[in-house]
Amino acid sequence: MRVWSRGFRSFPRRLAPSLMVALGLVAWSPPASAYRPFDGTDAAVAKKGEMEIELQPAGRLRDESGASLIAPAWVINYGLSEDWEAVFEGQGQTPLSPPGPTSLTAAGAFLKHVVVPGSLQDKTGPSIATEFGVLLPDSTGDSGVGLSLAGIVSQRWDWGTIHLNAETALTRDHHGDLFLGAIIEGPATWTLRPVAEIFYEHEFGKEETFSGLVGLIYRVRDDLSFDVAVRHALTGRQPVNEIRAGLTFGFPLSFFEGHAARQASPVPPR
């Protein structure tokens, strides 16, 4: 799942060079499917041999502890086969008021599999996928390793698309967790399409979250999308407000494809 807002706690000093590299890659990236700016995801995977990067250079979060800079937040998807991808994600948080040290949080490594190809794969009926993996410890604090398992159902119509997410997890603090969410998008053919997301999350023995998000995704071209959204939530009956903005792009990893081709080709006899 795309966990942009859960478990926030780092602003790497080398962010600027990284962003320059990322923006340079945009100039030659092929089609990418934007699943920023949501907490949930869709029932689709990156094409085999292609990398998709969802990047939020900076965002702002305010909750009961004060205001924080979320910079950067990222999800890296790599297509392993026609219906499998590897997912790596994480984000940084720098407290602004009161100021505090930066740290890396919400890191994880996952596998995503399209179980039933459907409308997102240019076929009929719903697309069904699963995503499972490991929640990695935060860079500070006493958090440990967690596990998650999610199911995703997506259906696309002419008027728009709906994605339903259900996840169960053992959190980094070793609490049981349940996440239920729905994403609604405007028509996929629109250059500027409105989007919304609602979700409910219950971390057992700790707190509940009710969240709503509204935003826009702007498709500059088939290989580049920008997004902006605002989110309001109640976590443990305390308000959480957030501004998100970012981009999604992809590119083929031709080096790895070429290496795989060379490995697969027979060795000529001497």
Side-chain angles (χ1 to χ4, degrees):
M1 300 188 72
R2 305 295 178 262
V3 192
W4 296 108
S5 64
R6 300 161 60 199
F8 282 127
R9 296 284 184 247
S10 130
F11 189 37
R13 294 181 180 179
R14 298 182 180 180
L15 173 61
S18 300
L19 291 180
M20 291 176 66
V21 172
L23 292 173
L25 291 171
V26 168
W28 55 281
S29 37
S33 178
Y35 274 91
R36 284 198 41 82
F38 310 112
D39 287 83
T41 187
D42 63 335
V45 298
K47 293 181 180 179
K48 181 180 178 180
E50 290 189 3
M51 186 83 79
E52 291 181 355
I53 297 178
E54 306 168 36
L55 176 66
Q56 176 177 286
R60 188 176 187 274
L61 175 74
R62 175 174 287 276
D63 59 16
E64 72 227 22
S65 64
S68 297
L69 172 69
I70 306 302
W74 67 90
V75 178
I76 300 174
N77 310 293
Y78 176 68
L80 299 171
S81 68
E82 183 179 351
D83 52 8
W84 283 91
E85 74 175 7
V87 182
F88 305 95
E89 64 185 32
Q91 62 191 19
Q93 182 168 3
T94 304
L96 300 177
S97 59
T102 58
S103 60
L104 175 67
T105 187
F110 309 91
L111 288 174
K112 188 177 180 183
H113 175 51
V114 176
V115 180
V116 179
S119 57
L120 297 193
Q121 289 76 34
D122 298 322
K123 299 183 180 181
T124 59
S127 300
I128 302 174
T130 183
E131 186 174 85
F132 53 91
V134 179
L135 308 176
L136 300 176
D138 295 343
S139 63
T140 60
D142 299 323
S143 69
V145 174
L147 301 170
S148 75
L149 172 64
I152 310 107
V153 178
S154 299
Q155 177 67 60
R156 177 171 291 158
W157 298 273
D158 290 341
W159 58 264
T161 307
I162 294 178
H163 312 285
L164 303 177
N165 285 247
E167 178 193 10
T168 182
L170 177 68
T171 70
R172 296 168 180 85
D173 298 327
H174 298 162
H175 293 100
D177 187 273
L178 174 66
F179 176 97
L180 300 171
I183 297 168
I184 302 174
E185 301 185 62
T189 56
W190 288 8
T191 300
L192 182 66
R193 68 183 186 274
V195 297
E197 180 184 38
I198 57 172
F199 75 75
Y200 166 77
E201 183 179 11
H202 185 187
E203 187 172 351
F204 296 96
K206 194 171 181 181
E207 60 194 13
E208 292 180 303
T209 296
F210 299 87
S211 175
L213 173 148
V214 293
L216 294 168
I217 295 177
Y218 175 48
R219 190 179 68 247
V220 179
R221 54 182 188 267
D222 287 342
D223 59 7
L224 174 63
S225 293
F226 291 91
D227 62 85
V228 62
V230 294
R231 173 177 170 264
H232 176 72
L234 291 175
T235 298
R237 299 186 179 182
Q238 298 297 318
V240 177
N241 294 292
E242 187 177 1
I243 299 173
R244 300 177 178 178
L247 71 159
T248 300
F249 59 95
F251 53 92
L253 291 183
S254 56
F255 170 81
F256 294 105
E257 289 181 340
H259 178 73
R262 288 192 297 272
Q263 292 296 318
S265 61
V267 177
R270 295 184 179 180

